[in-house]
Amino acid sequence: MSMARKSISIGIALGSGSARGWAHIGVLQTLAEAGIAPHIVCGTSIGALVGAVYADDDLDALEQWVTGLTWRKLVSYFDLSFGGGIIKGEKLFDYLRGSLLDKKIGDLQRPFAAVATDLASGSEVWLRDGPVADAVRASIALPGLFTPWPRGGRLLVDGALVNPVPVSLARAMEADFVIAVDLTSSSIGQYAHRVEPEQRKARQPSMIEVVANCLNIVDMRITRSRLAGEPADAVIQPRLGHVGVLEYHRAAEAIAEGRAATEVMISQIRRLLDDRR
């Protein structure tokens, strides 16, 4: 008598990484094409944005928008601020609220949660209810670049400061098998690689480049620590060192890298899932 295959709840933890996060689109598309569709979706920072859209089965619309972004269009979404961060983010999120994120978390097609950081206490905050756009805006508030987001009497900033790849959150949401997407594996030294040795003395990085690269270093170190203590069942690591953390207009390249990294892992993920059944 054959035994019925055990049903496994698959969770995905989409990591932070600013513009490199468009790779998550390629990851999720490739998993779906292979018949591996996560039931539980967690994200930090840009991973929260892509994850929220995926959780509502609207990934194709997001891909169409991001692959149409040019540098000029991108700049048009950035409204300058004189306190708490360079960019308010109101123009960008007004657009997203009206198109892709205009729902409550509880109304999404799949369970979803985002990670943010309490600016006052440094504690990790799990956002599992309320408006999707507000949760994503809080999770994506990169310190020094995007202004903090007020919620429940607290000021929230980027969740990457405490949990860049939220495997622990996926486990807490009762995922049996967690796939982590780590965007930091090839990112350190990105600024050095993009500037020729003879140019480094003559060309100083901009303030935004310095802030972004420093946060990138912190992101990588925390990711290594968290994944060591809270390991995922499988880790997908797109190679994105050539894509700058603020180069949101290079979505097609990032998506392609996400696809390539996932294709390499499909057979291993299938094997691991079969072992659990």
Side-chain angles (χ1 to χ4, degrees), residues 144-168:
L145 296 178
F146 282 95
T147 55
W149 184 253
R151 178 180 167 118
R154 297 186 288 189
L155 280 178
L156 301 180
V157 293
D158 200 317
L161 294 174
V162 289
N163 197 354
V165 185
V167 173
S168 57

Side-chain angles (χ1 to χ4, degrees), residues 146-147 261 265 271 274:
F146 282 95
T147 55
M265 291 293 296
R271 185 169 61 252
D274 285 342

Side-chain angles (χ1 to χ4, degrees), residues 34-95:
I36 303 169
H39 311 105
I40 293 168
V41 187
C42 301
T44 297
S45 197
I46 191 70
L49 171 56
V50 178
V53 176
Y54 170 76
D56 206 39
D57 290 329
D58 214 5
L59 204 58
D60 289 344
L62 178 63
E63 181 185 24
Q64 183 177 2
W65 178 61
V66 302
T67 52
L69 282 176
T70 62
W71 181 249
R72 186 184 294 260
K73 285 183 181 177
L74 185 63
V75 170
S76 73
Y77 287 117
F78 287 172
D79 41 355
L80 297 181
S81 166
F82 296 98
I86 297 171
I87 302 163
K88 290 181 183 178
E90 290 178 5
K91 288 183 180 178
L92 174 62
F93 275 84
D94 282 348
Y95 171 79

Side-chain angles (χ1 to χ4, degrees), residues 91-176:
K91 288 183 180 178
L92 174 62
F93 275 84
D94 282 348
Y95 171 79
L96 292 173
R97 278 190 184 90
S99 57
L100 297 169
L101 303 179
D102 188 23
K103 280 195 174 182
K104 296 290 182 69
I105 289 176
D107 295 331
L108 298 175
Q109 300 298 310
R110 295 176 177 84
F112 167 77
V115 179
T117 304
D118 185 321
L119 183 61
S121 68
S123 61
E124 183 173 340
V125 180
W126 291 352
L127 304 171
R128 301 179 62 173
D129 55 32
V132 174
D134 289 355
V136 172
R137 175 63 179 82
S139 184
I140 213 166
L142 198 66
L145 296 178
F146 282 95
T147 55
W149 184 253
R151 178 180 167 118
R154 297 186 288 189
L155 280 178
L156 301 180
V157 293
D158 200 317
L161 294 174
V162 289
N163 197 354
V165 185
V167 173
S168 57
L169 178 51
R171 300 275 189 213
M173 294 174 70
E174 301 184 350
D176 301 313

